[in-house]
């Protein structure tokens, strides 16, 4: 028989242009699976890393790769393995997932991560959070990291905001209490179904906040709802946690600064 011809993909290099190894980055496929990278995203990136398809498309499924592949199109020099580019590929594949597929996978990761922090799970809140997760996640490991930093705790359990941080910087407690009182009464008069629409909640408060100072109103409201300096805007939080939890948290903040 004829001796076969051998060929291999260009070497994958670390960021320092040295051969990819355990010292310069993960080399085991298992480690990427554990971090939550999708198999099809990893395959797509590895293929493009050493080869330029004639169509010049970046997103290719396995059938498209087979149809387009010619060994002459392989790169001759090594290619740097870019983790951020791999994350981009993974996000593109997450965006192509159906709502049902994304929900099943994302909520499973979120629930497990919250359970590890002893944060009580609420399936309804989890479902409401799906658009937020769609926006913020490039790989499933992102959810675990965000949960470990407490970024979703306040959606599932009432926060305990630091009293001195409730007023916006430069405002006193009395002024802040006046604004929270106004917001509480306005939202108390708002039916529960209106809380499904963040824009409706914004309309209720926007004119008042514009007159007295948006930061003076929206900072204490957001901090009362989340207990965090960085979080989504208060209208989104309120729409996700609902009317009862929103009013309860504002009342708690009022009692702290009264």
């Amino acid at each position: 028989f004829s001796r076969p011809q051998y060929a291999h993909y260009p070497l994958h290099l670390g960021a320092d242009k040295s051969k990819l190894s355990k010292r310069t980055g993960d080399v085991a496929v298992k480690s990427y699976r554990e971090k939550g990278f999708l198999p099809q995203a990893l395959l797509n990136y590895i293929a493009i890393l050493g080869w330029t398809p004639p169509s010049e498309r970046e997103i290719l499924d396995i059938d498209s790769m087979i149809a387009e592949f010619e060994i002459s199109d392989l790169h001759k020099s090594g290619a740097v393995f870019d983790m951020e580019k791999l994350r981009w590929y993974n996000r593109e594949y997450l965006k192509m997932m159906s709502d049902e597929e994304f929900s099943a996978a994302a909520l499973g990761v979120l629930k497990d991560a919250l359970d590890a922090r002893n944060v009580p799970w609420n399936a309804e809140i989890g479902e409401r959070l799906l658009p937020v997760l769609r926006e913020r996640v490039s790989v499933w490991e992102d959810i675990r990291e965000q949960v470990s930093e407490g970024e979703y705790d306040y959606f599932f359990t009432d926060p305990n905001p630091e009293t001195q941080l409730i007023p916006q910087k430069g405002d006193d407690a009395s002024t802040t209490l006046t604004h929270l009182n106004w917001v509480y009464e306005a939202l108390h008069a708002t039916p529960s179904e209106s809380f499904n629409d963040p824009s409706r909640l914004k309309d209720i408060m926007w004119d008042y906040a514009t007159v007295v100072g948006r930061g003076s109103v929206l900072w204490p409201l957001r901090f009362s709802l989340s207990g965090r300096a960085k979080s989504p805007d208060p209208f989104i939080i309120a729409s996700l946690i609902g009317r009862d939890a929103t009013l309860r948290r504002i009342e708690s903040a009022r009692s702290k600064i009264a």
Side-chain angles (χ1 to χ4, degrees):
F1 59 89
S2 300
R3 182 177 180 178
Q5 292 182 308
Y6 295 93
H8 67 79
Y9 244 55
L11 292 177
H12 292 160
L13 308 176
D16 61 356
K17 303 294 182 69
S18 64
K19 183 179 177 182
L20 193 65
S21 65
K22 291 182 179 179
R23 182 178 60 82
T24 57
D26 289 323
V27 292
V29 172
K30 180 181 177 182
S31 68
Y32 292 97
R33 182 175 59 194
E34 291 172 346
K35 289 178 180 178
F37 284 94
L38 301 176
Q40 57 270 40
L42 181 60
L43 175 62
N44 194 159
Y45 178 56
I46 292 296
I48 296 295
L49 196 57
W51 164 62
T52 300
S55 67
E56 297 187 353
R57 289 187 297 157
E58 289 192 286
I59 304 299
L60 295 166
D61 60 25
I62 186 64
D63 290 335
S64 298
M65 294 179 204
I66 292 171
E68 292 201 36
F69 184 78
E70 291 290 344
I71 198 168
S72 59
D73 293 324
L74 286 179
H75 301 167
K76 296 201 170 35
S77 58
V80 173
F81 190 97
D82 184 346
M83 182 60 73
E84 286 306 308
K85 187 66 174 180
L86 174 57
R87 286 174 56 83
W88 177 85
Y89 268 96
N90 204 77
R91 177 161 173 73
E92 291 302 302
Y93 276 91
L94 287 180
K95 286 158 64 176
M96 289 188 281
M97 292 177 75
S98 68
D99 289 342
E100 292 76 15
E101 290 175 315
F102 185 88
S103 174
L107 294 185
V109 175
L110 180 63
K111 183 179 184 303
D112 288 346
L114 289 169
D115 286 346
R117 285 174 54 82
N118 295 315
V119 176
W121 174 250
N122 182 311
E124 183 178 355
I125 295 293
E127 289 286 342
R128 293 178 188 172
L129 273 172
L130 284 170
V132 176
L133 297 177
R134 279 273 198 189
E135 181 67 27
R136 300 189 64 197
V137 170
S138 294
V139 61
W140 300 133
E141 182 68 16
D142 291 348
I143 297 177
R144 300 186 189 101
E145 291 180 358
Q146 291 160 8
V147 169
S148 72
E149 295 170 358
E151 292 193 29
Y152 296 108
D153 291 7
Y154 55 85
F155 289 111
F156 295 90
T157 185
D158 290 357
N160 183 25
E162 295 182 49
T163 302
Q164 67 272 22
L165 297 180
I166 296 174
Q168 180 186 233
K169 188 175 182 180
D171 287 351
D172 57 34
S174 177
T175 299
T176 299
L177 182 58
T178 297
H179 298 326
L180 285 179
N181 285 341
W182 187 95
V183 170
Y184 182 91
E185 294 303 323
L187 293 180
H188 190 271
T190 302
S192 295
E193 54 268 23
S194 293
F195 277 74
N196 295 327
D197 183 359
S199 64
R200 172 65 182 138
L201 301 179
K202 181 177 180 179
D203 290 342
I204 291 169
M205 289 178 262
W206 200 248
D207 288 347
Y208 175 80
T210 299
V211 171
V212 302
R214 292 173 187 169
S216 295
V217 177
L218 302 183
W219 170 273
L221 173 58
R222 185 166 62 82
F223 200 75
S224 300
L225 298 181
S226 69
R228 296 176 65 90
K230 294 182 178 181
S231 63
D233 76 50
F235 314 117
I236 291 177
I237 299 174
S239 70
L240 289 171
I241 65 176
R243 181 178 183 275
D244 291 347
T246 297
L247 293 175
R248 184 175 64 246
R249 295 181 188 190
I250 296 173
E251 176 58 33
S252 176
R254 291 198 303 176
S255 67
K256 284 176 175 285
I257 61 175

